[in-house]
Amino acid sequence: ATLEVIRILITEYPSAVAYGDRKGRTPLAWYLGAGHLIDNNKRHICGETNDPNAVPWWHVKLSPPLIQLLISSKVARCLDDIGRTPLHWACHFYSRSFLALSNPTLPVKAIQIIVDNNVEALVTRDSDGRTPLHVLFSVVAEQLDQEHQRQIANRTLKDNIDLANGGPPAFTPAKEIVELLLKSPDADGQEFLRFDAGRDDKKPAAASHVEDMTGLLPLHHALKVATDPEVIKLLIQSNPTGLIHATEEELQTPLILALNSEFTAPLQTLQ
């Protein structure tokens, strides 16, 4: 459908933007890739499944004006069946697009529109306990792991990565996006050293303070991949105590995780 057709549908029935399907996915969530990014049967931009000649959805440049049409404060607060908001899906789309094209097709302006309609989404946790900031990094790690397993299965795994010259390509999300996702949803900016998920009366100052279900902060997820050092600095500045935050099962601090991560190049800063 063209932008004009979408505009007509919304104009004739504005409430339609807030209706979700059986999985709770709103039209905006679908536009941001909710039905394309994690389903087993991958769809291309025309909805056909498993077509080898199809252009994946995350290769398509998304339109901020269309996102503006599809969003409202109610839509921005909608949770789907895995507890994700549109902001979670926007971050998921951004990372998939980055991995595929190195130049993401989701503009910073589009993410700003979503945040403006629900600033609380910055610290909303999905069914895995992940905020949109967690998702930004965890998607990259998951996709790299899937590619690693695929190479093992196809016996095409390359074992000649030169860590001394930088190792895997760095994940370099736009600084503006990371700064936006690190903003405090609290008007008074009150800071908390630790977020207790069991207490509704105590919300974190920023997503950098939030643990997922396995005890990982966004910083831990960022260190699972070769995230750009400037982005790591932003995460540390937002939550300095994260440097001594250990994961629940393995008790790994960010430094330990950085040195044993399969996708991190431990020597990338040693020139």
Side-chain angles (χ1 to χ4, degrees):
T2 64
L3 179 59
E4 186 58 29
V5 169
I6 299 297
R7 194 187 304 275
I8 291 172
L9 291 171
I10 295 173
T11 301
E12 293 298 321
Y13 187 33
S15 297
V17 298
Y19 277 76
D21 62 13
R22 187 178 297 276
K23 294 185 177 181
R25 297 169 179 170
T26 62
L28 177 59
W30 269 96
Y31 185 57
L32 293 170
H36 306 269
L37 296 171
I38 62 172
D39 287 350
N40 290 329
N41 293 322
K42 297 299 187 293
R43 296 174 173 83
H44 66 26
I45 58 175
C46 294
E48 298 296 328
T49 60
N50 298 328
D51 182 348
N53 299 315
V55 177
W57 189 264
W58 50 92
H59 286 218
V60 179
K61 186 174 182 179
L62 300 190
S63 165
L66 181 50
I67 289 175
Q68 189 71 68
L69 277 176
L70 293 171
I71 201 167
S72 66
S73 59
K74 182 177 180 179
V75 170
R77 287 172 169 76
C78 286
L79 301 178
D80 61 18
D81 63 333
I82 58 173
R84 284 191 169 185
T85 66
L87 186 58
H88 285 87
W89 287 114
C91 290
H92 193 140
F93 184 102
Y94 181 94
S95 294
R96 289 297 299 273
S97 181
F98 182 96
L99 288 174
L101 306 172
S102 297
N103 185 21
T105 56
L106 182 65
V108 176
K109 180 180 179 181
I111 296 180
Q112 180 69 66
I113 291 171
I114 298 171
V115 172
D116 288 345
N117 279 272
N118 179 20
V119 69
E120 289 292 330
L122 291 169
V123 292
T124 298
R125 305 162 84 232
D126 65 14
S127 59
D128 292 318
R130 295 174 181 174
T131 66
L133 184 62
H134 285 87
V135 170
L136 185 73
F137 300 111
S138 66
V139 165
V140 177
E142 289 164 1
Q143 290 300 310
L144 290 175
D145 182 57
Q146 288 180 22
E147 175 62 19
H148 181 76
Q149 297 302 320
R150 185 189 66 78
Q151 290 180 3
I152 291 176
N154 295 337
R155 298 183 178 181
T156 58
L157 182 64
K158 297 179 180 180
D159 58 0
N160 59 347
I161 294 177
D162 185 0
L163 293 182
N165 290 325
F171 176 46
T172 55
K175 182 180 179 181
E176 296 86 350
I177 286 182
V178 177
E179 290 176 333
L180 178 60
L181 296 175
L182 283 170
K183 284 187 176 181
S184 169
D186 245 350
D188 59 7
Q190 185 178 4
E191 293 186 1
F192 299 102
L193 295 181
R194 187 178 180 89
F195 174 52
D196 183 352
R199 292 185 57 186
D200 293 334
D201 61 329
K202 187 176 182 180
K203 294 184 178 180
S208 57
H209 293 252
V210 181
E211 302 176 7
D212 67 12
M213 297 297 284
T214 59
L216 272 65
L217 299 172
L219 177 60
H220 290 93
H221 283 285
L223 292 169
K224 284 187 173 184
V225 295
T227 300
D228 182 74
E230 292 303 313
V231 173
I232 298 298
K233 288 180 182 178
L234 289 174
L235 294 171
I236 293 172
Q237 290 169 2
S238 177
N239 180 16
T241 59
L243 289 168
I244 58 173
H245 186 100
T247 60
E248 291 184 359
E249 292 185 5
E250 301 297 332
L251 299 180
Q252 293 179 338
T253 63
L255 181 57
I256 293 174
L257 191 62
L259 290 169
N260 74 11
S261 172
E262 184 176 3
F263 300 110
T264 298
L267 306 181
Q268 64 182 342
T269 57
L270 300 182
Q271 302 296 332

PDB file of all heavy atoms in Angstrom, residues 9-28:
ATOM      1  N   LEU A   9      -6.739   5.063   5.266  1.00  0.00           N
ATOM      2  CA  LEU A   9      -7.213   4.080   6.231  1.00  0.00           C
ATOM      3  C   LEU A   9      -7.226   4.662   7.650  1.00  0.00           C
ATOM      4  O   LEU A   9      -8.168   4.445   8.417  1.00  0.00           O
ATOM      5  CB  LEU A   9      -6.335   2.836   6.185  1.00  0.00           C
ATOM      6  CG  LEU A   9      -6.426   1.977   4.913  1.00  0.00           C
ATOM      7  CD1 LEU A   9      -5.343   0.896   4.924  1.00  0.00           C
ATOM      8  CD2 LEU A   9      -7.807   1.349   4.796  1.00  0.00           C
ATOM      9  N   ILE A  10      -6.182   5.408   7.974  1.00  0.00           N
ATOM     10  CA  ILE A  10      -6.087   5.987   9.318  1.00  0.00           C
ATOM     11  C   ILE A  10      -7.080   7.136   9.477  1.00  0.00           C
ATOM     12  O   ILE A  10      -7.716   7.284  10.529  1.00  0.00           O
ATOM     13  CB  ILE A  10      -4.649   6.456   9.598  1.00  0.00           C
ATOM     14  CG1 ILE A  10      -3.712   5.246   9.619  1.00  0.00           C
ATOM     15  CG2 ILE A  10      -4.574   7.223  10.918  1.00  0.00           C
ATOM     16  CD1 ILE A  10      -2.244   5.624   9.726  1.00  0.00           C
ATOM     17  N   THR A  11      -7.218   7.945   8.446  1.00  0.00           N
ATOM     18  CA  THR A  11      -8.149   9.073   8.511  1.00  0.00           C
ATOM     19  C   THR A  11      -9.587   8.597   8.699  1.00  0.00           C
ATOM     20  O   THR A  11     -10.360   9.174   9.473  1.00  0.00           O
ATOM     21  CB  THR A  11      -8.058   9.923   7.223  1.00  0.00           C
ATOM     22  OG1 THR A  11      -6.722  10.408   7.076  1.00  0.00           O
ATOM     23  CG2 THR A  11      -9.029  11.092   7.280  1.00  0.00           C
ATOM     24  N   GLU A  12      -9.943   7.510   8.011  1.00  0.00           N
ATOM     25  CA  GLU A  12     -11.302   6.991   8.102  1.00  0.00           C
ATOM     26  C   GLU A  12     -11.570   6.290   9.431  1.00  0.00           C
ATOM     27  O   GLU A  12     -12.705   6.243   9.888  1.00  0.00           O
ATOM     28  CB  GLU A  12     -11.557   6.020   6.943  1.00  0.00           C
ATOM     29  CG  GLU A  12     -11.581   6.671   5.573  1.00  0.00           C
ATOM     30  CD  GLU A  12     -12.682   7.698   5.442  1.00  0.00           C
ATOM     31  OE1 GLU A  12     -13.797   7.460   5.958  1.00  0.00           O
ATOM     32  OE2 GLU A  12     -12.439   8.759   4.824  1.00  0.00           O
ATOM     33  N   TYR A  13     -10.522   5.741  10.047  1.00  0.00           N
ATOM     34  CA  TYR A  13     -10.713   5.048  11.324  1.00  0.00           C
ATOM     35  C   TYR A  13      -9.445   5.200  12.165  1.00  0.00           C
ATOM     36  O   TYR A  13      -8.619   4.290  12.237  1.00  0.00           O
ATOM     37  CB  TYR A  13     -11.018   3.569  11.083  1.00  0.00           C
ATOM     38  CG  TYR A  13     -11.405   2.807  12.341  1.00  0.00           C
ATOM     39  CD1 TYR A  13     -12.106   3.423  13.385  1.00  0.00           C
ATOM     40  CD2 TYR A  13     -11.072   1.462  12.492  1.00  0.00           C
ATOM     41  CE1 TYR A  13     -12.455   2.732  14.523  1.00  0.00           C
ATOM     42  CE2 TYR A  13     -11.420   0.750  13.635  1.00  0.00           C
ATOM     43  CZ  TYR A  13     -12.118   1.392  14.644  1.00  0.00           C
ATOM     44  OH  TYR A  13     -12.457   0.709  15.781  1.00  0.00           O
ATOM     45  N   PRO A  14      -9.251   6.360  12.795  1.00  0.00           N
ATOM     46  CA  PRO A  14      -8.027   6.661  13.545  1.00  0.00           C
ATOM     47  C   PRO A  14      -7.692   5.643  14.632  1.00  0.00           C
ATOM     48  O   PRO A  14      -6.511   5.378  14.901  1.00  0.00           O
ATOM     49  CB  PRO A  14      -8.324   8.041  14.159  1.00  0.00           C
ATOM     50  CG  PRO A  14      -9.348   8.644  13.246  1.00  0.00           C
ATOM     51  CD  PRO A  14     -10.195   7.492  12.797  1.00  0.00           C
ATOM     52  N   SER A  15      -8.708   5.052  15.242  1.00  0.00           N
ATOM     53  CA  SER A  15      -8.461   4.104  16.342  1.00  0.00           C
ATOM     54  C   SER A  15      -7.780   2.822  15.873  1.00  0.00           C
ATOM     55  O   SER A  15      -7.260   2.053  16.687  1.00  0.00           O
ATOM     56  CB  SER A  15      -9.770   3.750  17.042  1.00  0.00           C
ATOM     57  OG  SER A  15     -10.349   4.889  17.640  1.00  0.00           O
ATOM     58  N   ALA A  16      -7.766   2.588  14.562  1.00  0.00           N
ATOM     59  CA  ALA A  16      -7.185   1.354  14.036  1.00  0.00           C
ATOM     60  C   ALA A  16      -5.700   1.226  14.353  1.00  0.00           C
ATOM     61  O   ALA A  16      -5.170   0.118  14.432  1.00  0.00           O
ATOM     62  CB  ALA A  16      -7.395   1.275  12.525  1.00  0.00           C
ATOM     63  N   VAL A  17      -5.009   2.352  14.555  1.00  0.00           N
ATOM     64  CA  VAL A  17      -3.562   2.291  14.813  1.00  0.00           C
ATOM     65  C   VAL A  17      -3.250   1.612  16.143  1.00  0.00           C
ATOM     66  O   VAL A  17      -2.140   1.113  16.346  1.00  0.00           O
ATOM     67  CB  VAL A  17      -2.924   3.695  14.781  1.00  0.00           C
ATOM     68  CG1 VAL A  17      -3.086   4.326  13.415  1.00  0.00           C
ATOM     69  CG2 VAL A  17      -3.497   4.588  15.882  1.00  0.00           C
ATOM     70  N   ALA A  18      -4.227   1.592  17.057  1.00  0.00           N
ATOM     71  CA  ALA A  18      -3.987   1.024  18.384  1.00  0.00           C
ATOM     72  C   ALA A  18      -4.460  -0.411  18.509  1.00  0.00           C
ATOM     73  O   ALA A  18      -4.322  -1.022  19.570  1.00  0.00           O
ATOM     74  CB  ALA A  18      -4.668   1.886  19.456  1.00  0.00           C
ATOM     75  N   TYR A  19      -5.017  -0.980  17.433  1.00  0.00           N
ATOM     76  CA  TYR A  19      -5.473  -2.366  17.466  1.00  0.00           C
ATOM     77  C   TYR A  19      -4.305  -3.315  17.193  1.00  0.00           C
ATOM     78  O   TYR A  19      -3.565  -3.135  16.228  1.00  0.00           O
ATOM     79  CB  TYR A  19      -6.582  -2.603  16.439  1.00  0.00           C
ATOM     80  CG  TYR A  19      -7.957  -2.214  16.926  1.00  0.00           C
ATOM     81  CD1 TYR A  19      -8.341  -0.878  16.988  1.00  0.00           C
ATOM     82  CD2 TYR A  19      -8.872  -3.177  17.322  1.00  0.00           C
ATOM     83  CE1 TYR A  19      -9.592  -0.509  17.438  1.00  0.00           C
ATOM     84  CE2 TYR A  19     -10.136  -2.820  17.777  1.00  0.00           C
ATOM     85  CZ  TYR A  19     -10.491  -1.489  17.834  1.00  0.00           C
ATOM     86  OH  TYR A  19     -11.735  -1.124  18.292  1.00  0.00           O
ATOM     87  N   GLY A  20      -4.180  -4.337  18.042  1.00  0.00           N
ATOM     88  CA  GLY A  20      -3.146  -5.330  17.832  1.00  0.00           C
ATOM     89  C   GLY A  20      -3.723  -6.628  17.303  1.00  0.00           C
ATOM     90  O   GLY A  20      -4.921  -6.883  17.431  1.00  0.00           O
ATOM     91  N   ASP A  21      -2.879  -7.448  16.689  1.00  0.00           N
ATOM     92  CA  ASP A  21      -3.321  -8.752  16.207  1.00  0.00           C
ATOM     93  C   ASP A  21      -3.284  -9.770  17.343  1.00  0.00           C
ATOM     94  O   ASP A  21      -3.178  -9.407  18.513  1.00  0.00           O
ATOM     95  CB  ASP A  21      -2.483  -9.208  15.005  1.00  0.00           C
ATOM     96  CG  ASP A  21      -1.002  -9.378  15.348  1.00  0.00           C
ATOM     97  OD1 ASP A  21      -0.645  -9.387  16.550  1.00  0.00           O
ATOM     98  OD2 ASP A  21      -0.196  -9.506  14.415  1.00  0.00           O
ATOM     99  N   ARG A  22      -3.359 -11.053  17.015  1.00  0.00           N
ATOM    100  CA  ARG A  22      -3.406 -12.092  18.043  1.00  0.00           C
ATOM    101  C   ARG A  22      -2.173 -12.069  18.944  1.00  0.00           C
ATOM    102  O   ARG A  22      -2.233 -12.448  20.116  1.00  0.00           O
ATOM    103  CB  ARG A  22      -3.562 -13.473  17.386  1.00  0.00           C
ATOM    104  CG  ARG A  22      -3.794 -14.619  18.389  1.00  0.00           C
ATOM    105  CD  ARG A  22      -3.976 -15.930  17.656  1.00  0.00           C
ATOM    106  NE  ARG A  22      -5.154 -15.925  16.805  1.00  0.00           N
ATOM    107  CZ  ARG A  22      -6.375 -16.197  17.235  1.00  0.00           C
ATOM    108  NH1 ARG A  22      -6.584 -16.504  18.513  1.00  0.00           N
ATOM    109  NH2 ARG A  22      -7.401 -16.188  16.400  1.00  0.00           N
ATOM    110  N   LYS A  23      -1.061 -11.617  18.410  1.00  0.00           N
ATOM    111  CA  LYS A  23       0.173 -11.543  19.193  1.00  0.00           C
ATOM    112  C   LYS A  23       0.402 -10.150  19.791  1.00  0.00           C
ATOM    113  O   LYS A  23       1.463  -9.879  20.338  1.00  0.00           O
ATOM    114  CB  LYS A  23       1.368 -11.939  18.326  1.00  0.00           C
ATOM    115  CG  LYS A  23       1.334 -13.405  17.901  1.00  0.00           C
ATOM    116  CD  LYS A  23       2.606 -13.787  17.141  1.00  0.00           C
ATOM    117  CE  LYS A  23       2.578 -15.274  16.797  1.00  0.00           C
ATOM    118  NZ  LYS A  23       3.807 -15.697  16.079  1.00  0.00           N
ATOM    119  N   GLY A  24      -0.614  -9.315  19.675  1.00  0.00           N
ATOM    120  CA  GLY A  24      -0.514  -7.986  20.261  1.00  0.00           C
ATOM    121  C   GLY A  24       0.295  -7.008  19.441  1.00  0.00           C
ATOM    122  O   GLY A  24       0.662  -5.932  19.922  1.00  0.00           O
ATOM    123  N   ARG A  25       0.570  -7.349  18.194  1.00  0.00           N
ATOM    124  CA  ARG A  25       1.383  -6.491  17.343  1.00  0.00           C
ATOM    125  C   ARG A  25       0.504  -5.459  16.643  1.00  0.00           C
ATOM    126  O   ARG A  25      -0.397  -5.811  15.890  1.00  0.00           O
ATOM    127  CB  ARG A  25       2.137  -7.323  16.312  1.00  0.00           C
ATOM    128  CG  ARG A  25       3.133  -8.289  16.921  1.00  0.00           C
ATOM    129  CD  ARG A  25       3.652  -9.265  15.883  1.00  0.00           C
ATOM    130  NE  ARG A  25       4.631 -10.192  16.460  1.00  0.00           N
ATOM    131  CZ  ARG A  25       5.109 -11.256  15.839  1.00  0.00           C
ATOM    132  NH1 ARG A  25       4.687 -11.530  14.604  1.00  0.00           N
ATOM    133  NH2 ARG A  25       5.989 -12.040  16.416  1.00  0.00           N
ATOM    134  N   THR A  26       0.781  -4.200  16.880  1.00  0.00           N
ATOM    135  CA  THR A  26       0.049  -3.104  16.261  1.00  0.00           C
ATOM    136  C   THR A  26       0.571  -2.872  14.846  1.00  0.00           C
ATOM    137  O   THR A  26       1.625  -3.405  14.462  1.00  0.00           O
ATOM    138  CB  THR A  26       0.236  -1.814  17.071  1.00  0.00           C
ATOM    139  OG1 THR A  26       1.637  -1.479  17.073  1.00  0.00           O
ATOM    140  CG2 THR A  26      -0.271  -1.970  18.500  1.00  0.00           C
ATOM    141  N   PRO A  27      -0.130  -2.065  14.043  1.00  0.00           N
ATOM    142  CA  PRO A  27       0.388  -1.729  12.715  1.00  0.00           C
ATOM    143  C   PRO A  27       1.802  -1.145  12.772  1.00  0.00           C
ATOM    144  O   PRO A  27       2.637  -1.454  11.927  1.00  0.00           O
ATOM    145  CB  PRO A  27      -0.628  -0.701  12.198  1.00  0.00           C
ATOM    146  CG  PRO A  27      -1.919  -1.111  12.848  1.00  0.00           C
ATOM    147  CD  PRO A  27      -1.512  -1.550  14.232  1.00  0.00           C
ATOM    148  N   LEU A  28       2.084  -0.314  13.783  1.00  0.00           N
ATOM    149  CA  LEU A  28       3.427   0.246  13.906  1.00  0.00           C
ATOM    150  C   LEU A  28       4.452  -0.839  14.194  1.00  0.00           C
ATOM    151  O   LEU A  28       5.547  -0.844  13.619  1.00  0.00           O
ATOM    152  CB  LEU A  28       3.468   1.302  15.019  1.00  0.00           C
ATOM    153  CG  LEU A  28       4.859   1.902  15.294  1.00  0.00           C
ATOM    154  CD1 LEU A  28       5.412   2.571  14.042  1.00  0.00           C
ATOM    155  CD2 LEU A  28       4.787   2.893  16.451  1.00  0.00           C
TER     156      LEU A  28
END
